[in-house]
Amino acid sequence: DAAAETAQGAPLAAHHLLRAFVAGQPPRLPDFPVPLHWLGSLRGVDGCEALAVERMLQACEGAGDEEVCDMVWRSWGRIAWTAASAAQLEQAVAVLRRCGREGALQAAGYSGREREQHRQDLEQKLIDALDALPLDRLPNHRVLVAPELPLHGVTAWMLSRQREMQDTIERLTTQLREARKREDAADVRMQEMGREVKALRRELIDVRQRAAARS
């Protein structure tokens, strides 16, 4: 069924058409506007994931805040953000801050339970969007500490990074300890070989002395 959507979000026919178009060298996107939720079709296509990142950021830059929110909630997770440069990741965080600000302003129009539900929904969307980014490659992580972004989501990421770094330190410490054990074992073996060489030299001298005495 040509109307069926793929896992990447584009109708099946459009999915194949877009992948065929960008397959040339160098890869490039069509000159006409491509629906942003189709860009997921470029996942795994050599040289094209970065094009999808660039097109997404360009679209957000030229749109109003309310429109940006709609684009982000619909298409953000379809983009292979691992292909983004450090500068593009900073742009992406700035886009999410715009979404956080716009969402908070929209929530202000509600009251009571409805307002709290809107706030929770917004925070979850922002957490999911942040989770799609390789935040460890951000040149300046201070951009994450912003009133427009959910603090507990950023904190959770920082704690996760702390655990990863601690695991790395422990792994390297174990490797260093094992290397030192191997080094100590090598030192012991070298000392044993040194004693064996000395014993052989004494034995050789003894043999020569006996041979000289017989002659």
Side-chain angles (χ1 to χ4, degrees):
D1 184 358
E5 284 206 353
T6 70
Q8 292 79 19
L12 192 58
H15 168 77
H16 291 303
L17 181 62
L18 184 59
R19 288 174 74 100
F21 185 94
V22 300
Q25 292 297 326
R28 63 184 182 88
L29 288 175
D31 295 330
F32 56 85
V34 174
L36 294 179
H37 63 282
W38 288 15
L39 295 177
S41 297
L42 302 182
R43 277 182 174 270
V45 180
D46 188 34
C48 294
E49 291 180 338
L51 295 178
V53 169
E54 183 178 3
R55 178 62 64 89
M56 181 73 190
L57 293 175
Q58 286 176 345
C60 291
E61 186 177 356
D65 290 344
E66 189 172 348
E67 186 182 0
V68 165
C69 288
D70 181 65
M71 291 188 293
V72 167
W73 307 148
R74 186 178 186 191
S75 307
W76 194 264
R78 305 184 192 279
I79 305 298
W81 291 102
T82 51
S85 66
Q88 287 174 325
L89 289 175
E90 285 195 325
Q91 287 181 262
V93 172
V95 169
L96 296 184
R97 290 177 66 173
R98 288 178 62 188
C99 291
R101 182 170 56 251
E102 175 62 23
L105 291 175
Q106 291 179 7
Y110 298 92
S111 61
R113 293 174 59 87
E114 202 172 11
R115 180 174 185 174
E116 177 61 18
Q117 184 62 55
H118 186 89
R119 184 191 66 79
Q120 291 185 15
D121 290 345
L122 172 64
E123 286 197 355
Q124 188 58 57
K125 288 177 180 178
L126 289 170
I127 289 172
D128 292 342
L130 285 168
D131 192 50
L133 303 177
L135 297 177
D136 53 307
R137 288 171 38 212
L138 269 175
N140 179 14
H141 290 90
R142 290 184 178 275
V143 297
L144 296 173
V145 185
E148 303 92 344
L149 298 177
L151 182 59
H152 59 274
V154 174
T155 302
W157 172 80
M158 289 182 173
L159 290 173
S160 174
R161 283 292 297 152
Q162 185 179 15
R163 285 193 296 270
E164 290 176 6
M165 292 175 67
Q166 185 61 39
D167 290 343
T168 300
I169 290 172
E170 291 177 359
R171 185 174 65 255
L172 291 175
T173 300
T174 299
Q175 292 175 353
L176 179 59
R177 190 180 299 117
E178 291 174 351
R180 284 175 176 170
K181 287 181 179 178
R182 290 193 295 270
E183 184 180 0
D184 291 342
D187 287 341
V188 170
R189 180 54 184 154
M190 288 180 64
Q191 292 174 8
E192 291 175 350
M193 292 177 65
R195 288 193 293 268
E196 290 174 4
V197 168
K198 289 180 180 179
L200 286 172
R201 286 176 178 171
R202 288 195 299 269
E203 186 176 345
L204 179 59
I205 291 172
D206 186 56
V207 169
R208 286 176 176 174
Q209 287 175 345
R210 289 201 299 269
R214 287 177 182 175
S215 60

